[in-house]
Every structure is written in structure tokens, then in C-alpha cells.
Amino acid sequence: MDAHHDHAPEAPCPPTCPAWAQGALELFALQRRYGEMLDACRLAPAIECLIVAPGAPGVEVPEYLHEEELVRVNVVVGRDTPEVLLDEWGVRCNLTFRGRRFDCAFPWPSVLAGILRPPERKRPRFGVIQGGKKD
């Protein structure tokens, strides 16, 4: 099921948007809003994966991936990645490919989409339920 953004295309895409987790990076990439891509990745508790164009300038991946049009990389810290470094330039991390570790780099223009883990929504511990007769 594809969620739809509940805002205008040029408006910010907050984590409360139904499409934020799976659509924010793609929306920002299409509009070249790289600063907002950085903000979204920093706001997410985890970056599940990124879809990158390995042939784009500045991308560092194993040589055999350069022939691919698009590559999905899983970058969840603690699963395979010790850390993910994010800055205005892009994303840097160390990943495993075919059993070997590789220092990867993805400038923002090479990131075409991705899946972010949404921040936890705090739920009130107690709520008030209205009831009874109204005067």
C-alpha cells in the first residue's frame, strides 16, 4: 500500500505525513532539496535503506556495482553498519558486500529514494474520556 503525502509537493514533509517513511527522500531527491534529505535522515531513528545511482559522481561502492543503474543499500546502524555519517555532502558508511567490508560514500544527488524509520510517537499515558450529560 502506497501512502500519499498530505501536503503540497513544495511544502516540507514532516514525520507526521503518512508517506514520510517511504516517500520523503524520493520527494526531496526529485526536487533536489538535499538539505531536507539531510534533515529527514537525522530525524529518523534509523535509515533502513537508500536507493542510489552508483554511476553518479562521488559515489564510492565496490567496482562491480558501477555497472548497475540503481543499487539498494541497507544502512541500519548496528545491523551491518557500525555508524552512518551524515553531512551537507551526503552519506558515508562502511558496509559488507559479498562478505567484504567497504567504505561507501553517497553524495545527496546520487540518493534517489530510501526508507526511513519514523520517530516514535509519544502516546499519553492517561487520557480523559468525555461522558455523561451535557448541561
Side-chain angles (χ1 to χ4, degrees):
M1 175 174 103
D2 290 339
H4 297 286
H5 293 278
D6 63 357
H7 53 81
E10 63 281 352
C13 184
T16 55
C17 173
W20 185 83
Q22 295 188 6
L25 291 182
E26 183 177 7
L27 174 69
F28 297 148
L30 288 170
Q31 297 175 347
R32 296 186 174 114
R33 293 161 58 183
Y34 304 126
E36 291 180 71
M37 291 174 79
L38 171 62
D39 293 342
C41 288
R42 284 183 172 163
L43 187 59
I47 303 169
E48 295 287 339
C49 71
L50 295 174
I51 308 299
V52 298
V59 173
E60 293 181 25
V61 291
E63 188 65 36
Y64 72 92
L65 293 174
H66 286 278
E67 299 300 318
E68 300 293 329
E69 187 175 330
L70 297 174
V71 174
R72 175 189 165 135
V73 292
N74 297 324
V75 293
V76 178
V77 173
R79 190 178 301 161
D80 178 50
T81 308
E83 64 182 351
V84 175
L85 304 173
L86 303 165
D87 61 19
E88 290 75 21
W89 180 85
V91 181
R92 292 175 187 84
C93 55
N94 186 274
L95 300 170
T96 303
F97 296 90
R98 295 183 177 172
R100 300 184 104 153
R101 303 297 292 171
F102 192 88
D103 288 327
C104 297
F106 311 112
W108 290 119
S110 72
V111 178
L112 305 178
I115 299 174
L116 304 174
R117 187 176 302 156
E120 282 189 41
R121 293 187 182 161
K122 303 231 186 251
R123 295 182 185 184
R125 192 166 168 188
F126 298 101
V128 176
I129 300 173
Q130 298 294 330
K133 294 182 183 179
K134 291 190 178 193
D135 295 330

